[in-house]
Amino acid sequence: MPRGRDDRRRTLRRRTARRRLLVLIAAAVLLLGSGVVWALYGSSWLRVEQVRITGVRVLAPAEVERAAEVPMGSPLVSVDTGAIEKRLRQKLPRIDSVDVVRSWPHGIGLKVTERQPVLLVKKGAKFIEVDAEGVRFATVDKAPGRVPLLELASARSASLRRFGSDRLVREAVRVAGDLPDGVAEDTRVVRVASYDAISLELSGDRTVMWGSGEAGAVKARVLTALMKAAPKAGHFDVSAPTAPAVSGS
């Protein structure tokens, strides 16, 4: 009997010790958690003190920072990065995308990707930049170098009434994206007379009848071959790539 009582006492002591250990662990976790919460939200250690901007080429870092409206002095953990991204895209259409990241312990990083013009629409003395998705995102005083002009059909054109200017602009962008590198560099004007009558004006008084935006990769290969075979020609027609034509010299 005494041995049974001793066993029960030892079991009780072990259980009591385990409970005390669990209480101590819970208290330590609570204290640690409270310390972390205080460090993140209540202390002055992890607050926004600087904004670092990368990736800008045309935009000025100062205008990006103004548009971002990063809440300086706020706890870094509480900054709404999604709201910053939304503000930037709304206020600065030149921005195609932006990554907003927390840079511990005191910074916000803005990695900007700007839209790149692939075509220009002349408007008076100014130029509207159009990107690879057909988005008209900025108006500039001076045309960027090596970006072709886009000339759309007149307002009275049946094609314009049928398809709308946005659709025709997208087709022009599609053609510009399919051009061989050498041809793209020499292209001065992309002219859209109708949906299936898109032509190019190249340097050296050369022209290309491209047709519609369909079968662009095939037309690009055929045009490259034609230009190699007839380097002095003035006009190339790949609108029907299975029956291309060359004229002029």
Side-chain angles (χ1 to χ4, degrees), residues 9-29:
R9 290 193 189 101
R10 283 194 295 270
T11 300
L12 182 60
R13 283 196 296 269
R14 285 196 295 268
R15 289 177 178 173
T16 302
R18 282 198 295 268
R19 283 197 293 269
R20 288 174 179 171
L21 179 60
L22 290 174
V23 170
L24 289 174
I25 292 173
V29 170

Side-chain angles (χ1 to χ4, degrees), residues 5-206:
R5 286 196 295 271
D6 291 341
D7 289 341
R8 286 195 294 273
R9 290 193 189 101
R10 283 194 295 270
T11 300
L12 182 60
R13 283 196 296 269
R14 285 196 295 268
R15 289 177 178 173
T16 302
R18 282 198 295 268
R19 283 197 293 269
R20 288 174 179 171
L21 179 60
L22 290 174
V23 170
L24 289 174
I25 292 173
V29 170
L30 180 60
L31 287 172
L32 180 60
S34 299
V36 169
V37 171
W38 176 81
L40 290 174
Y41 292 95
S43 77
S44 60
W45 299 344
L46 304 175
R47 293 181 177 270
V48 181
E49 295 180 1
Q50 60 183 358
V51 178
R52 185 170 181 267
I53 298 166
T54 58
V56 292
R57 299 177 61 186
V58 178
L59 294 169
E63 66 178 318
V64 174
E65 185 170 351
R66 284 195 301 270
E69 296 181 13
V70 176
M72 304 300 289
S74 298
L76 190 57
V77 72
S78 69
V79 172
D80 188 341
T81 57
I84 292 175
E85 177 182 354
K86 184 177 180 180
R87 284 195 293 272
L88 285 170
R89 291 171 64 89
Q90 286 180 340
K91 294 181 179 181
L92 299 175
R94 185 175 291 278
I95 292 180
D96 184 27
S97 65
V98 57
D99 291 329
V100 184
V101 297
R102 295 177 179 85
S103 181
W104 301 94
H106 300 300
I108 288 291
L110 306 177
K111 185 178 180 181
V112 175
T113 300
E114 295 181 357
R115 297 182 188 273
Q116 300 299 316
V118 297
L119 292 173
L120 300 172
V121 177
K122 191 170 177 59
K123 184 178 181 180
K126 298 181 182 293
F127 300 89
I128 300 172
E129 294 180 309
V130 182
D131 75 356
E133 296 177 352
V135 176
R136 307 180 198 198
F137 63 91
T139 301
V140 295
D141 296 327
K142 184 178 179 181
R146 296 185 176 276
V147 180
L149 283 175
L150 169 61
E151 292 185 0
L152 284 178
S154 68
R156 291 174 293 179
S157 163
S159 184
L160 186 62
R161 291 196 302 271
R162 179 182 176 185
F163 296 104
S165 63
D166 289 344
R167 177 72 181 276
L168 295 183
V169 168
R170 287 196 297 271
E171 283 302 300
V173 166
R174 180 182 177 187
V175 170
D178 285 334
L179 297 179
D181 290 341
V183 176
E185 292 177 2
D186 289 341
T187 301
R188 300 293 178 263
V189 179
V190 176
R191 188 169 289 111
V192 183
S194 68
Y195 179 82
D196 57 357
I198 300 174
S199 61
L200 313 173
E201 181 181 308
L202 310 183
S203 59
D205 294 326
R206 296 171 297 163

